[in-house]
Amino acid sequence: MLEAEKITDAELEVLRALWASREPMTLGQIKSALARSQGWNENTTKTLLRRLCQKGAAGQEKREVYYYRPLVNRDQLERCRTQRLIDKLYAGSARDLVASLVRHDQLQPQDVEELRVMFQTMWNGKEGE
């Protein structure tokens, strides 16, 4: 079972490296991918991978060395984390989240227009069902 709400920001960086690769990655490949942005050593990377495997977000396969792959995609994790934020800060109300963004000038006119088109497209699709 995925414990998405317990994935730390550091673990998320490891997942991003795994998502960026189309193939399973070795510890060395992951460490190299993260070295540019994080500068973590091998032990830190290994610890983060172990935690991701324990949380059900990554899997490992033993070949000549261990290969790691994501078991959760970006959309699944985003959905879980967004719902947790909505539940935690807005008592489960997505409308209150959006209202907060509007009240605090977090949405630009272009954002509002893109959301309007997205909603309209979504609603039109459901009318035909």
Side-chain angles (χ1 to χ4, degrees), residues 50-84:
R50 182 177 39 79
R51 290 179 186 166
L52 285 169
C53 289
Q54 289 170 343
K55 293 175 182 181
Q60 65 180 11
E61 176 186 343
K62 177 74 169 157
R63 297 182 197 168
E64 64 278 4
V65 296
Y66 281 104
Y67 282 80
Y68 298 88
R69 62 185 170 78
L71 296 179
V72 61
N73 65 40
R74 191 181 318 261
D75 186 56
Q76 291 168 314
L77 184 60
E78 184 179 285
R79 251 183 308 180
C80 289
R81 293 184 95 178
T82 301
Q83 188 60 55
R84 180 175 160 100

mmCIF file of all heavy atoms in Angstrom, residues 50-84:
data_model
loop_
_atom_site.group_PDB
_atom_site.id
_atom_site.type_symbol
_atom_site.label_atom_id
_atom_site.label_comp_id
_atom_site.label_asym_id
_atom_site.label_seq_id
_atom_site.Cartn_x
_atom_site.Cartn_y
_atom_site.Cartn_z
ATOM 1 N N ARG A 50 15.656 2.943 -0.009
ATOM 2 C CA ARG A 50 15.124 1.940 0.913
ATOM 3 C C ARG A 50 13.781 2.400 1.485
ATOM 4 O O ARG A 50 12.818 1.628 1.543
ATOM 5 C CB ARG A 50 16.128 1.667 2.036
ATOM 6 C CG ARG A 50 15.674 0.595 3.014
ATOM 7 C CD ARG A 50 16.710 0.268 4.090
ATOM 8 N NE ARG A 50 17.438 1.397 4.622
ATOM 9 C CZ ARG A 50 16.971 2.262 5.546
ATOM 10 N NH1 ARG A 50 15.756 2.118 6.012
ATOM 11 N NH2 ARG A 50 17.711 3.263 5.981
ATOM 12 N N ARG A 51 13.716 3.652 1.866
ATOM 13 C CA ARG A 51 12.462 4.198 2.414
ATOM 14 C C ARG A 51 11.349 4.189 1.372
ATOM 15 O O ARG A 51 10.200 3.861 1.679
ATOM 16 C CB ARG A 51 12.682 5.616 2.933
ATOM 17 C CG ARG A 51 13.519 5.671 4.186
ATOM 18 C CD ARG A 51 13.705 7.102 4.630
ATOM 19 N NE ARG A 51 14.611 7.199 5.747
ATOM 20 C CZ ARG A 51 15.159 8.335 6.159
ATOM 21 N NH1 ARG A 51 14.893 9.474 5.535
ATOM 22 N NH2 ARG A 51 15.963 8.347 7.192
ATOM 23 N N LEU A 52 11.690 4.557 0.127
ATOM 24 C CA LEU A 52 10.678 4.544 -0.940
ATOM 25 C C LEU A 52 10.163 3.130 -1.190
ATOM 26 O O LEU A 52 8.968 2.931 -1.430
ATOM 27 C CB LEU A 52 11.247 5.145 -2.229
ATOM 28 C CG LEU A 52 11.386 6.660 -2.235
ATOM 29 C CD1 LEU A 52 12.199 7.118 -3.443
ATOM 30 C CD2 LEU A 52 10.012 7.330 -2.235
ATOM 31 N N CYS A 53 11.045 2.150 -1.117
ATOM 32 C CA CYS A 53 10.626 0.756 -1.286
ATOM 33 C C CYS A 53 9.716 0.333 -0.134
ATOM 34 O O CYS A 53 8.686 -0.319 -0.353
ATOM 35 C CB CYS A 53 11.843 -0.160 -1.377
ATOM 36 S SG CYS A 53 12.774 0.009 -2.918
ATOM 37 N N GLN A 54 10.051 0.718 1.084
ATOM 38 C CA GLN A 54 9.228 0.382 2.250
ATOM 39 C C GLN A 54 7.848 1.025 2.162
ATOM 40 O O GLN A 54 6.861 0.447 2.615
ATOM 41 C CB GLN A 54 9.917 0.836 3.542
ATOM 42 C CG GLN A 54 11.139 0.025 3.904
ATOM 43 C CD GLN A 54 11.941 0.631 5.049
ATOM 44 O OE1 GLN A 54 11.802 1.796 5.395
ATOM 45 N NE2 GLN A 54 12.813 -0.188 5.620
ATOM 46 N N LYS A 55 7.772 2.200 1.567
ATOM 47 C CA LYS A 55 6.509 2.922 1.451
ATOM 48 C C LYS A 55 5.693 2.497 0.236
ATOM 49 O O LYS A 55 4.579 2.981 0.026
ATOM 50 C CB LYS A 55 6.775 4.431 1.388
ATOM 51 C CG LYS A 55 7.331 4.971 2.685
ATOM 52 C CD LYS A 55 7.701 6.434 2.589
ATOM 53 C CE LYS A 55 8.311 6.914 3.904
ATOM 54 N NZ LYS A 55 8.671 8.340 3.849
ATOM 55 N N GLY A 56 6.245 1.607 -0.582
ATOM 56 C CA GLY A 56 5.516 1.125 -1.750
ATOM 57 C C GLY A 56 5.573 2.056 -2.947
ATOM 58 O O GLY A 56 4.821 1.887 -3.898
ATOM 59 N N ALA A 57 6.467 3.033 -2.924
ATOM 60 C CA ALA A 57 6.571 3.989 -4.023
ATOM 61 C C ALA A 57 7.628 3.592 -5.047
ATOM 62 O O ALA A 57 7.628 4.085 -6.166
ATOM 63 C CB ALA A 57 6.884 5.382 -3.480
ATOM 64 N N ALA A 58 8.532 2.706 -4.664
ATOM 65 C CA ALA A 58 9.576 2.226 -5.570
ATOM 66 C C ALA A 58 9.764 0.736 -5.338
ATOM 67 O O ALA A 58 9.446 0.214 -4.269
ATOM 68 C CB ALA A 58 10.895 2.971 -5.334
ATOM 69 N N GLY A 59 10.273 0.080 -6.368
ATOM 70 C CA GLY A 59 10.553 -1.347 -6.269
ATOM 71 C C GLY A 59 11.982 -1.607 -6.685
ATOM 72 O O GLY A 59 12.589 -0.799 -7.396
ATOM 73 N N GLN A 60 12.514 -2.728 -6.221
ATOM 74 C CA GLN A 60 13.876 -3.084 -6.599
ATOM 75 C C GLN A 60 13.897 -4.495 -7.163
ATOM 76 O O GLN A 60 13.075 -5.327 -6.802
ATOM 77 C CB GLN A 60 14.824 -2.976 -5.414
ATOM 78 C CG GLN A 60 14.553 -3.948 -4.294
ATOM 79 C CD GLN A 60 15.529 -3.788 -3.137
ATOM 80 O OE1 GLN A 60 16.279 -2.828 -3.068
ATOM 81 N NE2 GLN A 60 15.519 -4.728 -2.226
ATOM 82 N N GLU A 61 14.832 -4.708 -8.071
ATOM 83 C CA GLU A 61 14.991 -6.010 -8.703
ATOM 84 C C GLU A 61 16.476 -6.336 -8.712
ATOM 85 O O GLU A 61 17.298 -5.524 -9.129
ATOM 86 C CB GLU A 61 14.465 -5.953 -10.137
ATOM 87 C CG GLU A 61 14.657 -7.225 -10.910
ATOM 88 C CD GLU A 61 14.265 -7.077 -12.371
ATOM 89 O OE1 GLU A 61 13.562 -6.116 -12.727
ATOM 90 O OE2 GLU A 61 14.703 -7.924 -13.171
ATOM 91 N N LYS A 62 16.809 -7.537 -8.225
ATOM 92 C CA LYS A 62 18.204 -7.953 -8.163
ATOM 93 C C LYS A 62 18.592 -8.583 -9.489
ATOM 94 O O LYS A 62 17.988 -9.543 -9.947
ATOM 95 C CB LYS A 62 18.402 -8.949 -7.020
ATOM 96 C CG LYS A 62 19.793 -9.497 -6.899
ATOM 97 C CD LYS A 62 20.746 -8.496 -6.344
ATOM 98 C CE LYS A 62 22.058 -9.196 -6.005
ATOM 99 N NZ LYS A 62 23.179 -8.337 -5.970
ATOM 100 N N ARG A 63 19.570 -7.992 -10.143
ATOM 101 C CA ARG A 63 20.187 -8.580 -11.335
ATOM 102 C C ARG A 63 21.651 -8.759 -10.950
ATOM 103 O O ARG A 63 21.916 -9.353 -9.914
ATOM 104 C CB ARG A 63 20.026 -7.662 -12.539
ATOM 105 C CG ARG A 63 18.563 -7.432 -12.936
ATOM 106 C CD ARG A 63 18.466 -6.561 -14.151
ATOM 107 N NE ARG A 63 17.135 -5.999 -14.320
ATOM 108 C CZ ARG A 63 16.847 -5.040 -15.167
ATOM 109 N NH1 ARG A 63 17.777 -4.531 -15.955
ATOM 110 N NH2 ARG A 63 15.620 -4.570 -15.249
ATOM 111 N N GLU A 64 22.568 -8.219 -11.759
ATOM 112 C CA GLU A 64 23.972 -8.218 -11.321
ATOM 113 C C GLU A 64 24.149 -7.240 -10.156
ATOM 114 O O GLU A 64 24.994 -7.430 -9.298
ATOM 115 C CB GLU A 64 24.937 -7.900 -12.474
ATOM 116 C CG GLU A 64 24.798 -6.513 -13.077
ATOM 117 C CD GLU A 64 23.676 -6.352 -14.104
ATOM 118 O OE1 GLU A 64 22.912 -7.296 -14.346
ATOM 119 O OE2 GLU A 64 23.578 -5.240 -14.646
ATOM 120 N N VAL A 65 23.310 -6.222 -10.127
ATOM 121 C CA VAL A 65 23.176 -5.270 -9.018
ATOM 122 C C VAL A 65 21.680 -4.977 -8.889
ATOM 123 O O VAL A 65 20.891 -5.404 -9.709
ATOM 124 C CB VAL A 65 23.964 -3.951 -9.260
ATOM 125 C CG1 VAL A 65 25.461 -4.198 -9.324
ATOM 126 C CG2 VAL A 65 23.485 -3.256 -10.522
ATOM 127 N N TYR A 66 21.306 -4.219 -7.888
ATOM 128 C CA TYR A 66 19.895 -3.854 -7.747
ATOM 129 C C TYR A 66 19.521 -2.765 -8.745
ATOM 130 O O TYR A 66 20.270 -1.820 -8.959
ATOM 131 C CB TYR A 66 19.592 -3.357 -6.331
ATOM 132 C CG TYR A 66 19.448 -4.478 -5.336
ATOM 133 C CD1 TYR A 66 20.452 -4.760 -4.436
ATOM 134 C CD2 TYR A 66 18.287 -5.254 -5.307
ATOM 135 C CE1 TYR A 66 20.319 -5.794 -3.515
ATOM 136 C CE2 TYR A 66 18.140 -6.291 -4.399
ATOM 137 C CZ TYR A 66 19.159 -6.559 -3.506
ATOM 138 O OH TYR A 66 19.024 -7.584 -2.618
ATOM 139 N N TYR A 67 18.344 -2.935 -9.323
ATOM 140 C CA TYR A 67 17.753 -1.929 -10.205
ATOM 141 C C TYR A 67 16.467 -1.445 -9.540
ATOM 142 O O TYR A 67 15.710 -2.244 -8.987
ATOM 143 C CB TYR A 67 17.438 -2.516 -11.583
ATOM 144 C CG TYR A 67 18.650 -2.648 -12.465
ATOM 145 C CD1 TYR A 67 19.529 -3.710 -12.309
ATOM 146 C CD2 TYR A 67 18.912 -1.703 -13.448
ATOM 147 C CE1 TYR A 67 20.650 -3.822 -13.113
ATOM 148 C CE2 TYR A 67 20.028 -1.808 -14.256
ATOM 149 C CZ TYR A 67 20.898 -2.872 -14.089
ATOM 150 O OH TYR A 67 22.000 -2.984 -14.885
ATOM 151 N N TYR A 68 16.246 -0.144 -9.634
ATOM 152 C CA TYR A 68 15.089 0.476 -8.988
ATOM 153 C C TYR A 68 14.172 1.087 -10.039
ATOM 154 O O TYR A 68 14.627 1.593 -11.052
ATOM 155 C CB TYR A 68 15.546 1.564 -8.015
ATOM 156 C CG TYR A 68 16.390 1.008 -6.896
ATOM 157 C CD1 TYR A 68 17.776 0.881 -7.041
ATOM 158 C CD2 TYR A 68 15.809 0.590 -5.706
ATOM 159 C CE1 TYR A 68 18.553 0.352 -6.020
ATOM 160 C CE2 TYR A 68 16.581 0.072 -4.682
ATOM 161 C CZ TYR A 68 17.956 -0.051 -4.855
ATOM 162 O OH TYR A 68 18.708 -0.574 -3.839
ATOM 163 N N ARG A 69 12.870 1.034 -9.752
ATOM 164 C CA ARG A 69 11.881 1.633 -10.650
ATOM 165 C C ARG A 69 10.748 2.198 -9.795
ATOM 166 O O ARG A 69 10.494 1.707 -8.688
ATOM 167 C CB ARG A 69 11.359 0.620 -11.649
ATOM 168 C CG ARG A 69 10.651 -0.549 -11.014
ATOM 169 C CD ARG A 69 10.242 -1.602 -12.044
ATOM 170 N NE ARG A 69 9.778 -2.806 -11.388
ATOM 171 C CZ ARG A 69 8.579 -2.961 -10.839
ATOM 172 N NH1 ARG A 69 7.694 -1.994 -10.876
ATOM 173 N NH2 ARG A 69 8.240 -4.096 -10.255
ATOM 174 N N PRO A 70 10.071 3.203 -10.303
ATOM 175 C CA PRO A 70 8.940 3.744 -9.541
ATOM 176 C C PRO A 70 7.750 2.787 -9.602
ATOM 177 O O PRO A 70 7.513 2.155 -10.629
ATOM 178 C CB PRO A 70 8.627 5.062 -10.253
ATOM 179 C CG PRO A 70 9.114 4.854 -11.651
ATOM 180 C CD PRO A 70 10.300 3.924 -11.552
ATOM 181 N N LEU A 71 7.037 2.664 -8.516
ATOM 182 C CA LEU A 71 5.806 1.869 -8.489
ATOM 183 C C LEU A 71 4.577 2.761 -8.477
ATOM 184 O O LEU A 71 3.453 2.279 -8.515
ATOM 185 C CB LEU A 71 5.786 0.958 -7.254
ATOM 186 C CG LEU A 71 6.870 -0.114 -7.194
ATOM 187 C CD1 LEU A 71 6.732 -0.928 -5.912
ATOM 188 C CD2 LEU A 71 6.820 -1.020 -8.418
ATOM 189 N N VAL A 72 4.815 4.056 -8.414
ATOM 190 C CA VAL A 72 3.744 5.041 -8.418
ATOM 191 C C VAL A 72 4.099 6.068 -9.488
ATOM 192 O O VAL A 72 5.269 6.402 -9.667
ATOM 193 C CB VAL A 72 3.583 5.697 -7.028
ATOM 194 C CG1 VAL A 72 4.834 6.418 -6.592
ATOM 195 C CG2 VAL A 72 2.410 6.644 -6.984
ATOM 196 N N ASN A 73 3.094 6.528 -10.225
ATOM 197 C CA ASN A 73 3.403 7.554 -11.214
ATOM 198 C C ASN A 73 3.146 8.937 -10.616
ATOM 199 O O ASN A 73 2.556 9.073 -9.539
ATOM 200 C CB ASN A 73 2.653 7.327 -12.535
ATOM 201 C CG ASN A 73 1.154 7.459 -12.409
ATOM 202 O OD1 ASN A 73 0.633 8.333 -11.716
ATOM 203 N ND2 ASN A 73 0.427 6.587 -13.096
ATOM 204 N N ARG A 74 3.593 9.918 -11.313
ATOM 205 C CA ARG A 74 3.495 11.307 -10.851
ATOM 206 C C ARG A 74 2.042 11.698 -10.557
ATOM 207 O O ARG A 74 1.743 12.344 -9.568
ATOM 208 C CB ARG A 74 4.104 12.235 -11.911
ATOM 209 C CG ARG A 74 4.317 13.641 -11.486
ATOM 210 C CD ARG A 74 4.909 14.489 -12.610
ATOM 211 N NE ARG A 74 5.953 13.838 -13.362
ATOM 212 C CZ ARG A 74 7.266 14.022 -13.165
ATOM 213 N NH1 ARG A 74 7.672 14.846 -12.255
ATOM 214 N NH2 ARG A 74 8.147 13.383 -13.900
ATOM 215 N N ASP A 75 1.126 11.277 -11.426
ATOM 216 C CA ASP A 75 -0.280 11.635 -11.264
ATOM 217 C C ASP A 75 -0.865 11.034 -9.983
ATOM 218 O O ASP A 75 -1.598 11.695 -9.256
ATOM 219 C CB ASP A 75 -1.084 11.184 -12.492
ATOM 220 C CG ASP A 75 -2.521 11.647 -12.440
ATOM 221 O OD1 ASP A 75 -2.745 12.872 -12.316
ATOM 222 O OD2 ASP A 75 -3.415 10.789 -12.506
ATOM 223 N N GLN A 76 -0.548 9.770 -9.704
ATOM 224 C CA GLN A 76 -1.036 9.126 -8.488
ATOM 225 C C GLN A 76 -0.544 9.854 -7.242
ATOM 226 O O GLN A 76 -1.317 10.107 -6.318
ATOM 227 C CB GLN A 76 -0.571 7.666 -8.428
ATOM 228 C CG GLN A 76 -1.208 6.769 -9.458
ATOM 229 C CD GLN A 76 -0.507 5.427 -9.531
ATOM 230 O OE1 GLN A 76 0.725 5.348 -9.559
ATOM 231 N NE2 GLN A 76 -1.290 4.360 -9.570
ATOM 232 N N LEU A 77 0.729 10.180 -7.230
ATOM 233 C CA LEU A 77 1.301 10.863 -6.076
ATOM 234 C C LEU A 77 0.713 12.262 -5.929
ATOM 235 O O LEU A 77 0.368 12.696 -4.826
ATOM 236 C CB LEU A 77 2.825 10.934 -6.187
ATOM 237 C CG LEU A 77 3.539 11.532 -4.989
ATOM 238 C CD1 LEU A 77 3.272 10.730 -3.729
ATOM 239 C CD2 LEU A 77 5.028 11.622 -5.249
ATOM 240 N N GLU A 78 0.572 12.946 -7.042
ATOM 241 C CA GLU A 78 0.000 14.294 -7.022
ATOM 242 C C GLU A 78 -1.417 14.269 -6.462
ATOM 243 O O GLU A 78 -1.785 15.100 -5.636
ATOM 244 C CB GLU A 78 -0.001 14.841 -8.450
ATOM 245 C CG GLU A 78 -0.480 16.252 -8.598
ATOM 246 C CD GLU A 78 -0.415 16.685 -10.049
ATOM 247 O OE1 GLU A 78 0.689 16.957 -10.540
ATOM 248 O OE2 GLU A 78 -1.483 16.738 -10.692
ATOM 249 N N ARG A 79 -2.215 13.313 -6.904
ATOM 250 C CA ARG A 79 -3.591 13.187 -6.408
ATOM 251 C C ARG A 79 -3.627 12.957 -4.903
ATOM 252 O O ARG A 79 -4.398 13.607 -4.185
ATOM 253 C CB ARG A 79 -4.305 12.036 -7.109
ATOM 254 C CG ARG A 79 -5.355 12.507 -8.070
ATOM 255 C CD ARG A 79 -6.062 11.343 -8.672
ATOM 256 N NE ARG A 79 -5.009 10.465 -9.208
ATOM 257 C CZ ARG A 79 -5.204 9.344 -9.816
ATOM 258 N NH1 ARG A 79 -6.400 8.886 -9.976
ATOM 259 N NH2 ARG A 79 -4.218 8.626 -10.289
ATOM 260 N N CYS A 80 -2.804 12.038 -4.422
ATOM 261 C CA CYS A 80 -2.773 11.728 -2.989
ATOM 262 C C CYS A 80 -2.345 12.943 -2.167
ATOM 263 O O CYS A 80 -2.967 13.273 -1.158
ATOM 264 C CB CYS A 80 -1.813 10.581 -2.715
ATOM 265 S SG CYS A 80 -2.375 8.972 -3.282
ATOM 266 N N ARG A 81 -1.289 13.598 -2.610
ATOM 267 C CA ARG A 81 -0.766 14.733 -1.847
ATOM 268 C C ARG A 81 -1.710 15.929 -1.909
ATOM 269 O O ARG A 81 -1.868 16.652 -0.929
ATOM 270 C CB ARG A 81 0.627 15.105 -2.349
ATOM 271 C CG ARG A 81 1.642 13.998 -2.025
ATOM 272 C CD ARG A 81 3.018 14.377 -2.409
ATOM 273 N NE ARG A 81 3.664 14.928 -1.217
ATOM 274 C CZ ARG A 81 4.911 15.341 -1.185
ATOM 275 N NH1 ARG A 81 5.651 15.291 -2.269
ATOM 276 N NH2 ARG A 81 5.428 15.809 -0.071
ATOM 277 N N THR A 82 -2.355 16.141 -3.049
ATOM 278 C CA THR A 82 -3.303 17.244 -3.171
ATOM 279 C C THR A 82 -4.506 17.002 -2.263
ATOM 280 O O THR A 82 -4.953 17.914 -1.560
ATOM 281 C CB THR A 82 -3.755 17.424 -4.629
ATOM 282 O OG1 THR A 82 -2.610 17.690 -5.438
ATOM 283 C CG2 THR A 82 -4.748 18.558 -4.773
ATOM 284 N N GLN A 83 -5.015 15.771 -2.273
ATOM 285 C CA GLN A 83 -6.164 15.466 -1.418
ATOM 286 C C GLN A 83 -5.809 15.639 0.053
ATOM 287 O O GLN A 83 -6.601 16.159 0.831
ATOM 288 C CB GLN A 83 -6.672 14.046 -1.668
ATOM 289 C CG GLN A 83 -7.982 13.754 -0.953
ATOM 290 C CD GLN A 83 -9.097 14.696 -1.388
ATOM 291 O OE1 GLN A 83 -9.398 14.805 -2.562
ATOM 292 N NE2 GLN A 83 -9.720 15.376 -0.430
ATOM 293 N N ARG A 84 -4.609 15.245 0.419
ATOM 294 C CA ARG A 84 -4.182 15.421 1.819
ATOM 295 C C ARG A 84 -4.126 16.905 2.178
ATOM 296 O O ARG A 84 -4.564 17.312 3.256
ATOM 297 C CB ARG A 84 -2.834 14.759 2.046
ATOM 298 C CG ARG A 84 -2.354 14.925 3.477
ATOM 299 C CD ARG A 84 -1.079 14.150 3.709
ATOM 300 N NE ARG A 84 -0.381 14.662 4.857
ATOM 301 C CZ ARG A 84 -0.402 14.119 6.068
ATOM 302 N NH1 ARG A 84 -1.099 13.037 6.267
ATOM 303 N NH2 ARG A 84 0.277 14.647 7.057
#
